[in-house]
């Protein structure tokens, strides 16, 4: 097994492993590399849903997938699997997020204890477009101007529960576009990563975010400043998908977004999400 860093702000490719048969020694090295590089790419895998779940479980218990946009849970017998797809069968989307852009976000941060990791596995990919980008929120935090860093340390921010990253309203919720009124959960803006001890910026998503204790206008301008810093190209690595790619990310120390793609192309990825062990804490 070889770990090859991308040379960008984050991420490494792991060569020479079959994730269906990972020894304990290999898993320990993968786990270490995941904490070190925040995102890992494994190419050329051949996984069934059961294989994907079995590999994911080595990191811990899994969260059930969010209910898909159509209100159904997909993949019979595997409630842990979230289908990310634009494919429509018999008039019904088989998954979530469509073919549009998915804006910068962290998965499921509307939970009190969000997942610590997510895994995406590519089954069908478009000929062009639909690339996924990750940003390094350790570097984003550490490079904040000192005044902003000090200010961030004491703040909490609301993580909206209304919309997913594709802009679709989540199942069971109604559209709300007032950050003061929208449902969500507050997390520290700059929590300590429980496994590395490093401080990160933890933003969740921009839409309907609100910094606790600030009037809306002040919250908006501070969030705009922090967001434009956090998503600067120097903290970002982008991935162009091939069938058989598996990407594992640390959901506490990264955010991700996806480019739109031509809706006539088919794109199908299966995702698992690994339960966090504790609430984000400052
Ligand atoms: C996700 C997600 C992006 C993509 O599955 O959590 O944000 O590339 N997907 O489809
Ligand atoms: Mn996501």
């Amino acid at each position: 097994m070889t770990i090859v860093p991308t040379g960008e702000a984050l991420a490494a490719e792991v060569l020479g492993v079959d994730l269906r048969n990972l020894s304990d020694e290999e898993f320990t090295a993968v786990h270490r590399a995941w904490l070190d590089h925040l995102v890992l790419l494994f190419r050329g895998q051949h996984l069934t849903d059961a294989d994907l779940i079995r590999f994911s479980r080595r990191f811990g218990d899994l969260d059930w997938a969010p209910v898909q946009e159509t209100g159904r849970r997909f993949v019979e017998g595997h409630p842990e699997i979230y289908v990310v797809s634009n494919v429509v069968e018999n008039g019904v989307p088989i998954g979530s997020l469509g073919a549009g852009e998915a804006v910068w976000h962290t998965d499921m941060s509307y939970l009190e204890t969000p997942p610590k990791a997510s895994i995406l596995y590519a089954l069908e990919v478009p000929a062009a477009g639909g690339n996924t980008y990750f940003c390094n929120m350790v570097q984003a935090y550490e490079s904040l101007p000192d005044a902003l860093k000090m200010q961030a340390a004491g703040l909490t921010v609301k993580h909206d529960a209304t919309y997913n990253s594709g802009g679709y309203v989540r199942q069971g919720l109604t559209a709300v576009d007032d950050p003061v009124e929208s449902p969500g959960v507050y997390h520290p803006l700059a929590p300590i990563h429980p496994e590395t001890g490093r401080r990160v910026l933890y933003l969740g998503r921009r839409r309907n975010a609100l910094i606790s204790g600030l009037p809306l206008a002040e919250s908006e301008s501070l969030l705009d400043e922090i967001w434009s810093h956090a998503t600067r190209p120097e903290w970002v690595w982008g991935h162009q998908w091939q069938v058989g790619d598996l990407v594992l990310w640390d959901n506490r120390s990264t955010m991700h977004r996806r480019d739109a793609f031509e809706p006539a192309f088919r794109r199908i990825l299966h995702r698992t999400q690994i339960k966090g062990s504790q609430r984000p804490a400052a």
Side-chain angles (χ1 to χ4, degrees), residues 11-35:
E13 182 171 354
V14 183
L15 302 172
V17 286
D18 179 344
L19 296 175
R20 291 172 300 190
N21 306 295
L22 201 62
S23 70
D24 287 345
E25 291 73 21
E26 285 173 324
F27 176 72
T28 302
V30 164
H31 190 272
R32 184 69 253 161
W34 165 64
L35 290 177

Side-chain angles (χ1 to χ4, degrees), residues 6 49 52 55 96 141 145 166 176 195 205 227 231 242 275 281:
T6 59
D49 285 327
L52 175 59
F55 169 64
S96 294
Y141 173 77
V176 183
E195 291 186 84
R205 59 202 65 219
W227 270 89
T231 56
Q242 295 172 9
K275 270 187 199 298

Side-chain angles (χ1 to χ4, degrees), residues 84 97 105 107 120 132 165 241 249 256 258 267 271:
V84 175
L97 301 183
H105 68 283
D107 291 336
L120 264 179
T132 308
S165 61
W241 293 93
W249 64 91
H256 53 283
R258 180 194 76 196
R267 187 177 188 270
R271 190 188 82 185

Side-chain angles (χ1 to χ4, degrees), residues 105-110 114-115 117-119 165 170 202 204-205 249 251 254 256 271-273:
H105 68 283
T106 299
D107 291 336
M108 297 165 70
S109 61
Y110 53 84
S118 301
I119 296 177
S165 61
R170 291 183 192 280
Y202 192 61
R205 59 202 65 219
W249 64 91
N251 197 45
T254 64
H256 53 283
R271 190 188 82 185
T272 56
Q273 43 287 313

